[in-house]
Amino acid sequence: MPIPMQLELVALYKLTEEAAKKNNIDYSSKIYFPINSFLFDYIEDNDNLKICFIELTDKTRSQELKLRCQKNENLFKTEIEKLAKPFNAKIEYTTIETDFTESADIFSSRFTRLYECLERNCEIYADITFGAKTNTLIINNILNFAEQFYDCSVEAIVYGKTVFTKNKAGTSVPDPEASSVYDVTSLYFLTNLTNHIKANTPEEAIEKVNKYLSIK
C-alpha cells in the first residue's frame, strides 16, 4: 500500500459493522487506514501477513518526506498489530522507496520492486487511497501479474473516500462522518474483462460487457 505523505493523519474510517460485532469492537470507533477495515474482516487465526509499503521520496526535501512516511508507517503498524493481536497473526513488513517522479524508468522500478514482494498462492488486499495517482495503474498491473504467474487471488482493492468541510475558521478539514471505505475490486475485474474480451464488432463487445455487468 502507498504510504500517505500528510504531516498529520486523521482517523476517518470505520471497520465494517460485521467485523466490529464479530470481534466485540465499538463500531463507532475510527481507524486511519481503509485497508485495515478489510483485513480485520478477513483475517483468521495464525495467519501470516506480509505488508508491502510504497514510500515516495523527493531529492529536494528527502529528509522531511522520509520522516513523514516513517511516522505514518509506524501509525499503520500500530493499528494493524492491534487489530491482528486477537488472531495471533504473524506480520512481516517490506518498504519500497521510490522517487516521487513520474517517468518510464520510475514506473519500471516501482513495478520491479513490487514484483519482488510477491509470493505464490497468496490472497492479496490492496489499498489505493494514498500516494501518487500513477501507483494505482502500477498496482493494477502487479495484481494481474500475480494472478497470472503466481497463482494469487485478488481479494479486495480498497479505496477510502474523504469528504472535506469547512470548520468555524473557514479552513477545509476532513469530515469523519462523511468519509467511507469502498471495495473497488469490480473495477479491476472489469479492466481484465475489457482487456481479454473477444468480439468482431464494437456492438458485440458492448453486449458481452453488459452481460457481465448484469451478472455483477
Side-chain angles (χ1 to χ4, degrees):
M1 65 159 286
I3 286 296
M5 294 179 287
Q6 287 97 316
L7 184 60
E8 295 290 340
L9 286 184
V10 179
L12 298 172
Y13 308 103
K14 291 182 179 181
L15 295 169
T16 64
E17 188 170 4
E18 294 76 13
K21 288 180 178 178
K22 183 173 68 176
N23 297 282
N24 298 316
I25 291 178
D26 181 7
Y27 175 57
S28 65
S29 62
K30 299 290 195 302
I31 59 174
Y32 291 94
F33 299 93
I35 188 66
N36 285 338
S37 69
F38 276 74
L39 288 178
F40 192 57
D41 207 9
Y42 288 98
I43 193 170
E44 297 180 355
D45 289 340
N46 301 309
D47 264 351
N48 292 313
L49 305 181
K50 184 174 184 178
I51 311 294
C52 183
F53 298 124
I54 304 173
E55 181 181 303
L56 299 181
T57 59
D58 187 325
K59 293 178 182 178
T60 61
R61 49 195 184 119
S62 58
Q63 190 60 25
E64 175 193 355
L65 279 181
K66 190 169 187 64
L67 289 174
R68 288 188 187 186
C69 288
Q70 287 178 343
K71 178 181 178 181
N72 291 330
E73 278 187 20
N74 290 334
L75 189 61
F76 180 94
K77 291 177 181 179
T78 299
E79 186 168 88
I80 188 62
E81 287 169 11
K82 179 181 179 181
L83 295 175
K85 186 175 181 180
F87 302 96
N88 195 32
K90 297 179 178 63
I91 306 177
E92 173 189 351
Y93 300 101
T94 300
T95 299
I96 294 172
E97 292 188 14
T98 175
D99 289 340
F100 193 10
T101 304
E102 311 300 358
S103 68
D105 288 343
I106 294 299
F107 300 151
S108 298
S109 174
R110 289 182 199 170
F111 181 91
T112 301
R113 295 292 305 282
L114 282 170
Y115 152 75
E116 292 170 350
C117 289
L118 294 177
E119 296 184 15
R120 293 185 180 275
N121 301 306
C122 289
E123 296 179 352
I124 300 181
Y125 300 82
D127 192 323
I128 60 171
T129 305
F130 305 106
K133 300 299 182 285
T134 51
N135 279 336
T136 300
L137 298 174
I138 295 171
I139 289 171
N140 188 78
N141 281 291
I142 282 292
L143 297 180
N144 190 273
F145 189 86
E147 279 199 309
Q148 288 193 59
F149 302 108
Y150 276 73
D151 298 319
C152 296
S153 60
V154 177
E155 298 296 322
I157 303 174
V158 180
Y159 171 71
K161 182 186 77 172
T162 302
V163 175
F164 288 85
T165 185
K166 292 189 181 295
N167 60 18
K168 293 181 179 179
T171 304
S172 292
V173 294
D175 182 357
E177 299 308 316
S179 300
S180 305
V181 178
Y182 294 100
D183 181 351
V184 296
T185 319
S186 58
L187 289 176
Y188 168 76
F189 291 120
L190 180 59
T191 300
N192 286 350
L193 172 70
T194 55
N195 284 342
H196 295 95
I197 196 169
K198 295 184 183 300
N200 295 318
T201 65
E203 292 77 16
E204 183 184 354
I206 287 295
E207 182 180 357
K208 289 185 176 182
V209 171
N210 285 337
K211 285 182 179 179
Y212 168 80
L213 295 176
S214 65
I215 293 172
K216 300 303 286 184

